[in-house]
Amino acid sequence: MELNGRPADPDALATLALTNYGHFTTMRVDNGRVRGLGLHMERLAGNCRDLFGAELDTGLVRAYVARAVPGVGSLVVRVTVFDPALELGHPSAAATPHILVTTRPAGPATAPPFRVRTVTHVRDAPTVKNVGLFGLLRARREAQLAGFDDALFIGPDGRVSEGGTWNVAFVDADGTVVWPEAEVLPGITMALVRRDEHIVAPVTTGDLPAMRAAFATNAAIGVRAIAAVDDVRLDAGHPVVKALQEAYLGIEGELV
């Protein structure tokens, strides 16, 4: 765990914990390479402007990430941007964003199918990958206590949007991939696997029984099949999903 390329100062981390204002991106690093690395840097820079009104030196971010990862092996790296000087009573003050780099072991490159439960929820500032995780973790906890693996969010308009830490897409009866039309985080993995023939359209819970398959995407899990949404069973081995999984694994990452 390093802050601005040095061992993290506990006082600075306390500010992050107590104010919980900032943004991040999570990357899987395999042998020093990241799929969609440039997109991750664009996300960090854009979110920094949105939350702090400041420009982020993405070259410096890459240098800090390079310090943290080995040349071989796999890790999941999270880059969190926050300002240790931020005060609860004066968050509009001019900000000096700091860069926190943390790592954890990476799981397998592919994950087994999972089951999700729908829940009405909209993340705060859904287009920003912000550090406010309470709502999504509570939804995930309650879904797991009910016997599912995770939660799938439904907006107040009844439309499917996203998972707490992943985007979702469906495969309809014609084999077309449908990404839900909703305000969601523009995921990096979603951007890497989306094709011109895919469509974006409203998806409601009433549409789910007509869907043949579904999958989740994020940097840690890649493309992961969804076996069921509530009591609607889906084909976890659908050829469209398998093809997207293989295509994603075939993407050569960019060197950090």
Side-chain angles (χ1 to χ4, degrees):
M1 180 183 298
E2 292 190 339
L3 183 63
N4 298 333
R6 298 178 180 178
D9 177 5
D11 290 338
L13 297 182
T15 300
L16 177 61
L18 295 173
T19 61
N20 203 36
Y21 188 85
H23 63 93
F24 70 100
T25 198
T26 300
M27 303 171 281
R28 181 186 174 100
V29 184
D30 295 300
N31 299 324
R33 293 179 176 271
V34 176
R35 296 179 182 87
L37 178 61
L39 296 176
H40 282 286
M41 294 302 109
E42 289 177 15
R43 164 190 281 170
L44 288 172
N47 286 181
C48 192
R49 286 189 290 270
D50 288 342
L51 295 191
F52 296 107
E55 294 298 324
L56 184 69
D57 185 343
T58 56
L60 198 56
V61 174
R62 291 182 67 157
Y64 291 157
V65 172
R67 283 173 48 91
V69 300
V72 294
S74 299
L75 286 173
V76 174
V77 176
R78 171 169 162 163
V79 178
T80 304
V81 179
F82 72 105
D83 184 358
L86 183 75
E87 297 180 359
L88 282 172
H90 196 202
S92 61
T96 304
H98 286 43
I99 302 164
L100 176 67
V101 177
T102 56
T103 64
R104 59 181 171 86
T110 58
F114 68 129
R115 299 168 58 250
V116 301
R117 183 178 81 161
T118 57
V119 58
T120 300
H121 182 74
V122 178
R123 294 186 304 107
D124 287 337
T127 60
V128 175
K129 196 170 180 69
N130 64 81
V131 298
L133 304 181
F134 172 79
L136 68 90
L137 289 178
R138 184 181 183 187
R140 177 174 290 168
R141 170 182 165 82
E142 292 178 349
Q144 291 175 352
L145 290 174
F148 294 83
D149 299 302
D150 210 339
L152 175 64
F153 297 158
I154 308 296
D157 57 1
R159 294 184 181 185
V160 174
S161 58
E162 60 186 347
T165 55
W166 38 271
N167 293 108
V168 67
F170 300 89
V171 182
D172 68 14
D174 296 324
T176 300
V177 174
V178 183
W179 297 89
E181 185 177 67
E183 193 172 29
V184 301
L185 181 74
I188 306 304
T189 304
M190 176 177 72
L192 292 175
V193 302
R194 184 180 285 183
R195 302 290 183 262
D196 290 342
E197 64 269 22
H198 296 181
I199 65 172
V200 178
V203 177
T204 69
T205 52
D207 297 322
L208 296 181
M211 297 298 180
R212 296 295 182 261
F215 58 92
T217 62
N218 78 10
I221 62 173
V223 178
R224 185 178 185 183
I226 296 176
V229 178
D230 295 334
D231 60 353
V232 177
R233 295 186 178 182
L234 298 160
D235 182 2
H238 195 284
V240 170
V241 177
K242 285 188 170 296
L244 289 173
Q245 289 173 327
E246 293 172 2
Y248 178 72
L249 292 175
I251 296 173
E252 184 176 12
E254 302 169 53
L255 276 173
V256 176

